[in-house]
Amino acid sequence: MSNLLPTIGLEVHAQVKSRSKIFCRCAVEFSNKPNINVCPVCMGFPGAMPSLNSEVVKQAVRAGLALNCEINIVSGFARKNYYYPDLPKGYQITQFKKPIAERGYIILSNKKRIRIRRLHIEEDTGKMIHDQDEDTLIDFNRAGVPLIEIVTEPDFESAEEAVDYMTRIREILRYTGVSDANMERGELRGEPNISVRKTSDSPLGTKTEIKNLNSLKAIEKGINFEIDRQSKLVAEGFEVASETMLYNDKKQEVYPMRKKESASEYRYFIEPDLPDLVLKEDFVSSMKGTLGELPEVRRERLIKQYSVSRDESWILTSEKTLADFFERSVANTGAGKRIVNFFIREIPALLNEKNVDAEKLLFTPEDLNSLLREIEREAVNLNSAQTILKRMAQTGESSEKIIRDLNLRQTNDEEKVKQLISETLAENQKEVERYRKGEEKLFGVLVGFCMKKAKGSVSPASINKHLKEMLK
Ligand code: ZN
Ligand code: MN
């Protein structure tokens, strides 16, 4: 069976980086102790009054600007009413009619433009924990944690595009510092809505929504499962029901959770305890100056400035911390091909192997910088540099100390090189004779012998140069 054409939209929730919650002064922290960051406001006690955290407004405006949105000078808050145990107030404070930002876009890595319909501020709910001793427990530390919700138009045509979008959003939120956007911690969650139809001319099919996917893999698997399921239904002549679905990570399958609510079922009304949010024009324009260099722009600059390839610039900018580490490591060197290539070959692999962020390495970019300078002026060869780097990552020792301890500095001192070569030739007279009788391919073998004896202390170039002369 071949699948029908999918149409996909995405709602993304991102946790705004902030020390306190959105409407009270409770701390926001990733902690194992449940229910310690709570107060009458975020617990919804009668008479408790919310007061808006200005940091959240600032970050929402910055996110809106980074996502090419128009910022609404006047926006407002509303109550979204529904009952659920993780929602102590019985409603969520969110923005409904007028969000803080709308009509933006993001460019995917395949250059496709995805339209962003709106970006609004809201509070998070508590967290239900189902899998402990068969009881359901609730942790309210997360209730009232600030979120931005970013809603796209239904512009995706595949799970891959949706995954790419999530990756781009995560990148932009991290580059701008709006959110740490750590999906494992639930700081970035995606909710795709999916429908299928026979051809691009047919009207859109009935859509379903998959709740709270918090990994890229879940987004990919969940969407693909749902496209298959809907295609099968339609092929067999059934109708797709308008439902909210749950994704099961172990089975990688999607199940119906409940009939989908329409907006009217939430009985939205204006939040009476909060005034309209009114921004000053110059506040908005001052926020533009705080965005820093966005990933797309940085990729283009790295290509120009360091003559790296497009693929390499994607690798380097995959995390802001890596791109920063790179630029600090090659600073004040000529950033020549040798060292740039060395960095690109070694560092991402090292981070992968240790499963850490560049900031968490045992050595600093300045430490690496001194090693790169040695490579650049051919004082250590690339093999030795690899050894040195490995040791730096293991012990945190300076490259200088390691070079000294392991005696890895190359010499181009003519006397020493010649000395080494003549010793090697004396030890390998058979090969020397054969070479002199015309077996020219033995030259490489002799270079190898010299290199082995030199143990990295002499550059191959200078061995090559002197060996030729000495064999005459
Ligand atoms: Zn609180
Ligand atoms: Mn929401």
Side-chain angles (χ1 to χ4, degrees):
M1 176 207 71
S2 71
N3 281 330
L4 303 180
L5 294 177
T7 303
I8 304 159
L10 257 179
E11 283 177 20
V12 170
H13 286 93
Q15 182 177 325
V16 175
K17 213 192 252 187
S18 163
R19 280 162 57 203
S20 53
K21 291 187 179 180
I22 182 168
F23 299 121
C24 60
R25 306 179 80 145
C26 290
V28 173
E29 55 184 357
F30 192 76
S31 129
N32 294 324
K33 258 198 184 154
N35 298 311
I36 53 169
N37 299 322
V38 291
C39 76
V41 174
C42 53
M43 288 301 92
F45 286 10
M49 291 289 275
S51 124
L52 180 60
N53 177 344
S54 62
E55 180 64 18
V56 179
V57 176
K58 194 174 137 189
Q59 297 297 7
V61 168
R62 294 178 72 246
L65 293 170
L67 297 172
N68 311 295
C69 292
E70 293 163 25
I71 305 297
N72 287 323
I73 291 301
V74 181
S75 62
F77 291 94
R79 289 188 182 180
K80 181 180 181 181
N81 298 281
Y82 64 100
Y83 175 76
Y84 207 64
D86 65 9
L87 190 71
K89 292 201 290 281
Y91 59 86
Q92 178 192 31
I93 303 181
T94 180
Q95 296 191 297
F96 183 53
K97 284 227 168 90
K98 203 94 167 131
I100 193 163
E102 50 192 333
R103 288 185 293 274
Y105 66 88
I106 220 174
I107 307 281
L108 299 185
S109 55
N110 67 5
K111 300 281 178 204
K112 180 168 166 177
R113 180 186 287 231
I114 300 296
R115 292 168 299 159
I116 289 168
R117 183 184 299 165
R118 55 185 279 144
L119 180 156
H120 67 251
I121 301 172
E122 62 184 29
E123 58 180 337
D124 209 344
T125 62
K127 192 174 164 189
M128 308 248 287
I129 301 154
H130 298 291
D131 50 7
Q132 226 166 313
D133 305 328
E134 294 168 34
D135 285 330
T136 289
L137 305 171
I138 305 180
D139 178 3
F140 287 115
N141 286 347
R142 214 181 63 181
V145 162
L147 300 177
I148 49 175
E149 179 178 325
I150 306 161
V151 184
T152 74
E153 299 293 345
D155 286 350
F156 304 99
E157 291 163 301
S158 69
E160 290 66 38
E161 286 183 354
V163 168
D164 190 50
Y165 172 86
M166 286 303 282
T167 314
R168 304 280 75 77
I169 285 272
R170 184 171 64 182
E171 214 170 57
I172 290 169
L173 295 177
R174 285 183 181 167
Y175 267 71
T176 51
V178 168
S179 171
D180 290 329
N182 183 329
M183 295 189 83
E184 279 167 34
R185 289 184 172 188
E187 293 164 355
L188 184 69
R189 284 125 50 188
E191 296 182 352
N193 54 72
I194 301 144
S195 65
V196 297
R197 54 181 164 167
K198 292 208 168 91
T199 68
S200 52
D201 302 328
S202 358
L204 286 175
T206 305
K207 67 180 178 188
T208 60
E209 178 181 300
I210 311 176
K211 287 309 269 185
N212 275 333
L213 300 174
N214 56 6
S215 74
L216 296 179
K217 201 176 132 220
I219 287 174
E220 185 200 328
K221 301 275 179 193
I223 291 176
N224 281 331
F225 185 92
E226 190 52 17
I227 294 171
D228 286 349
R229 189 187 70 90
Q230 291 187 14
S231 297
K232 222 170 274 171
L233 279 178
V234 173
E236 288 165 6
F238 294 106
E239 274 181 25
V240 174
S242 174
E243 282 173 320
T244 299
M245 317 290 288
L246 266 189
Y247 173 72
N248 180 313
D249 202 28
K250 284 204 188 87
K251 296 190 173 162
Q252 302 186 344
E253 287 176 3
V254 166
Y255 301 96
M257 176 169 84
R258 56 168 189 246
K259 290 270 164 287
K260 201 166 161 46
E261 299 83 355
S262 61
S264 64
E265 287 175 273
Y266 286 120
R267 307 294 192 277
Y268 280 99
F269 62 83
I270 289 171
E271 165 60 59
D273 291 339
L274 287 168
D276 274 351
L277 174 55
V278 183
L279 306 175
K280 292 203 173 96
E281 296 273 6
D282 50 343
F283 165 76
V284 175
S285 46
S286 75
M287 285 301 107
K288 279 181 195 154
T290 69
L291 293 179
E293 191 177 33
L294 293 172
E296 189 59 35
V297 178
R298 192 167 198 175
R299 274 192 278 278
E300 295 305 320
R301 180 172 64 77
L302 292 189
I303 291 171
K304 287 204 188 88
Q305 192 170 339
Y306 302 99
S307 334
V308 297
S309 71
R310 189 151 294 274
D311 284 352
E312 288 167 340
S313 78
W314 276 90
I315 295 170
L316 289 173
T317 53
S318 60
E319 294 288 346
K320 181 174 186 287
T321 49
L322 177 60
D324 291 344
F325 204 91
F326 168 71
E327 295 208 79
R328 281 169 65 190
S329 298
V330 301
N332 303 317
T333 68
K337 261 269 158 280
R338 278 166 71 78
I339 65 169
V340 169
N341 286 348
F342 180 80
F343 186 100
I344 293 172
R345 202 171 50 236
E346 300 298 331
I347 302 297
L350 183 67
L351 296 177
N352 214 359
E353 179 198 314
K354 306 241 169 214
N355 194 19
V356 291
D357 219 54
E359 286 171 325
K360 298 271 157 60
L361 286 169
L362 285 186
F363 56 88
T364 64
E366 287 68 34
D367 288 338
L368 182 57
N369 181 265
S370 52
L371 175 61
L372 295 179
R373 283 161 181 267
E374 302 280 10
I375 299 174
E376 182 125 88
R377 56 190 188 83
E378 299 194 32
V380 298
N381 68 30
L382 289 173
N383 273 337
S384 306
Q386 240 176 351
T387 311
I388 297 161
L389 183 71
K390 237 178 221 152
R391 180 117 163 207
M392 286 166 71
Q394 270 162 12
T395 65
E397 290 170 335
S398 72
S399 61
E400 228 169 292
K401 179 176 184 308
I402 299 167
I403 292 171
R404 223 181 313 120
D405 289 355
L406 301 183
N407 198 16
L408 289 174
R409 195 176 298 281
Q410 293 188 141
T411 174
N412 292 313
D413 179 51
E414 229 171 272
E415 283 316 304
K416 274 192 192 157
V417 178
K418 283 183 176 165
Q419 173 73 23
L420 177 110
I421 294 176
S422 62
E423 281 171 25
T424 310
L425 295 184
E427 288 161 16
N428 299 283
Q429 292 197 9
K430 251 192 223 155
E431 285 78 4
V432 174
E433 257 169 57
R434 283 169 58 198
Y435 173 80
R436 287 193 168 129
K437 281 183 185 150
E439 277 189 66
E440 283 188 9
K441 61 172 193 237
L442 276 172
F443 184 76
V445 175
L446 289 166
V447 170
F449 288 149
C450 293
M451 295 286 290
K452 203 170 164 198
K453 191 171 179 72
K455 293 198 189 90
S457 69
V458 177
S459 77
S462 67
I463 289 181
N464 256 300
K465 182 178 139 208
H466 294 293
L467 183 62
K468 263 238 161 83
E469 281 168 22
M470 291 171 69
L471 279 170
K472 271 178 193 159

